[in-house]
Amino acid sequence: MIKTGIGIAGFAGIIVFITSIMQTSLKRKDLQISTADRGSIEVSVNASGKVVPAFEEIINSPIHSRIVEVYKKGGDSVNIGTPILKLDLQSAETDYNKLLDEEQMKQLQLEQLRVTNRGKLSEMEMKLKVSRMELNRKEVELRNERYLDSLGAGTTDKVRQTELSYNVGQLQLNEDEQKYKNEQALAEAEFKVKELELSIFRKSLAEMKRTLDDAQIRSPRKAILTYVNNEIGAQIQQGSRIAVVSDLSNFKIEGEIADTYGDRIAAGNKTVIKIGNDKLNGIVSEVTPLSRNGVISFSVRLEESNHKRLRSGLKTDVYVMNAIKDDVMRIANASYYMGKGEYELFVINGDRLLKRKVQLGDSNFEYVEVISGLKEGDEVVVSDMSNYKEKNKLKISN
């Protein structure tokens, strides 16, 4: 029994030893190792991003109508003026034709007013000519009476009577001239009002004509039709989206970041976009000033907006640079880094990996700042070691 027990215990020990060796022995080539060194870190904040077309235009229905025909489908290439779909414009065209008739009627009314005013002023002008001629005649009579009175052939009463008649004629002429000026000014003002009404009406008519032209749904530029409402017979409300055209040859990045980092994002900041192993440079072009659901949105203009890896809707990592730290201890950035704080990392010591507490600080897409726990030249494992988080030391082999 003692011999059997010793044998079983020895066998179990061998199994435990072999299992232990298999679990803790790692090959150096399977690990991602970074050597701690000193240098500069262009500090960045990490945000999520999505690739979107650099240009995208939504086409809205200019009128309340229904879809009659659809000429293109999503994904088709379109040029400027290419018909996309047709709306029912019969009712709108009827209203437009009514407005054309109304415009003609207003034009005729304006011409009628011009003729009426011209006739009225001509009549008043003719009366003024007659009044002036009558006043001239009275002036001649007054001179004659005064001359006769000077010779003793006339009478003073006759002179006074003629002089009074002349003065009355003068006042009457002045009154008629003032009436003429007033009527002329009134006619001009009335005509200008009617002209202005016609001008306003024509602008409304032009706006309706533009609306009708827009209702002929055509592509505004050379692009890709990324969406079209293809439900023939569907009722379309004015202002509702019926098509979207996008330029899929150039792209930009729409980024999002927690509003707690809002003070680190500003227009003009340099950015690095990571798509797999590719890195694209860009600049923050626009930042949304308001936070929505704890998130701030921003746009990135890419230096190489037509890169072959860019696809609409593709998710990316966005690193926004906002400061530079010189002469700091640093190690490579990898999946282990989740932000500032204390980490337990494995450091190479001969043929073993020893777990060590390390204080990490700011980062960018390449490096992480080491505040304490490492010295220059230390080799640190930066690959995923979550399977060994319960271990304090591991064996490493070549």
Side-chain angles (χ1 to χ4, degrees), residues 227-240:
Y227 167 78
V228 61
N229 188 334
N230 57 6
E231 297 180 19
I232 296 177
Q235 292 292 325
I236 304 298
Q237 298 297 323
Q238 183 178 1
S240 61

Side-chain angles (χ1 to χ4, degrees), residues 202-213:
R202 283 175 172 168
K203 288 178 181 178
S204 300
L205 188 63
E207 178 67 19
M208 188 168 186
K209 178 64 166 62
R210 186 187 66 79
T211 300
L212 271 176
D213 291 339

Side-chain angles (χ1 to χ4, degrees), residues 59 72 76-84 217-225 245:
I59 303 175
K72 296 291 181 180
D76 287 348
S77 298
V78 291
N79 290 313
I80 298 177
T82 300
I84 297 175
I217 306 301
R218 301 175 183 273
S219 174
R221 61 184 65 231
K222 184 177 181 180
I224 302 295
L225 184 65
V245 292

Side-chain angles (χ1 to χ4, degrees), residues 70-341:
V70 177
Y71 305 120
K72 296 291 181 180
K73 62 180 182 297
D76 287 348
S77 298
V78 291
N79 290 313
I80 298 177
T82 300
I84 297 175
L85 55 81
K86 181 180 180 181
L87 299 178
D88 182 6
L89 304 179
Q90 184 175 358
S91 177
E93 287 175 347
T94 300
D95 293 339
Y96 179 70
N97 290 331
K98 287 180 180 178
L99 290 178
L100 286 177
D101 294 339
E102 189 174 346
E103 180 201 20
Q104 186 176 4
M105 183 180 68
K106 286 182 177 294
Q107 179 65 43
L108 293 174
Q109 288 175 345
L110 186 65
E111 186 63 29
Q112 183 182 20
L113 180 62
R114 180 189 288 112
V115 173
T116 301
N117 289 340
R118 185 187 301 160
K120 187 184 295 184
L121 291 175
S122 295
E123 184 179 351
M124 293 183 70
E125 190 173 356
M126 185 61 67
K127 287 182 179 180
L128 280 176
K129 287 181 180 180
V130 172
S131 296
R132 290 191 186 100
M133 293 174 63
E134 184 68 22
L135 186 63
N136 290 335
R137 183 183 65 79
K138 290 180 179 181
E139 184 180 9
V140 171
E141 288 181 355
L142 179 59
R143 279 201 308 270
N144 290 338
E145 290 296 331
R146 284 175 177 172
Y147 178 72
L148 291 175
D149 184 54
S150 65
L151 295 176
T155 63
T156 303
D157 291 340
K158 185 66 174 176
V159 172
R160 288 177 179 175
Q161 184 179 358
T162 305
E163 187 175 3
L164 179 61
S165 178
Y166 173 76
N167 290 336
V168 171
Q170 181 69 52
L171 292 173
Q172 185 66 44
L173 179 60
N174 291 340
E175 183 182 0
D176 291 343
E177 286 178 344
Q178 189 61 45
K179 285 182 178 180
Y180 177 77
K181 289 179 181 179
N182 292 343
E183 188 64 32
Q184 191 177 37
L186 182 62
E188 288 179 0
E190 186 179 6
F191 188 77
K192 286 181 179 179
V193 168
K194 292 296 184 182
E195 272 190 326
L196 183 60
E197 288 179 357
L198 181 59
S199 176
I200 294 173
F201 184 82
R202 283 175 172 168
K203 288 178 181 178
S204 300
L205 188 63
E207 178 67 19
M208 188 168 186
K209 178 64 166 62
R210 186 187 66 79
T211 300
L212 271 176
D213 291 339
D214 290 344
Q216 308 285 341
I217 306 301
R218 301 175 183 273
S219 174
R221 61 184 65 231
K222 184 177 181 180
I224 302 295
L225 184 65
T226 53
Y227 167 78
V228 61
N229 188 334
N230 57 6
E231 297 180 19
I232 296 177
Q235 292 292 325
I236 304 298
Q237 298 297 323
Q238 183 178 1
S240 61
R241 186 179 73 160
I242 53 177
V244 178
V245 292
S246 305
D247 180 5
L248 298 184
S249 60
N250 291 279
F251 298 89
K252 64 180 180 179
I253 304 296
E254 291 291 344
E256 290 185 342
I257 193 169
D259 54 10
T260 53
Y261 295 97
D263 57 340
R264 301 191 186 186
I265 305 291
N269 284 4
K270 292 194 300 181
T271 63
V272 174
I273 313 300
K274 288 190 68 177
I275 303 176
N277 295 325
D278 292 325
K279 298 172 185 175
L280 304 179
N281 295 322
I283 293 177
V284 176
S285 59
E286 183 182 0
V287 180
T288 303
L290 299 178
S291 171
R292 181 174 297 175
N293 297 325
V295 171
I296 289 178
S297 301
F298 61 95
S299 298
V300 177
R301 185 177 69 250
L302 297 172
E303 292 181 3
E304 194 177 356
S305 61
N306 58 350
H307 192 274
K308 61 182 181 180
R309 290 293 302 276
L310 294 172
R311 296 289 184 273
S312 182
L314 184 66
K315 300 293 184 180
T316 66
D317 290 324
V318 182
Y319 297 88
V320 182
M321 313 302 175
N322 53 47
I324 296 178
K325 286 189 175 183
D326 294 319
D327 193 28
V328 297
M329 186 77 68
R330 62 188 188 178
I331 58 175
N333 194 347
S335 59
Y336 70 91
Y337 182 73
M338 304 300 291
K340 292 182 180 181

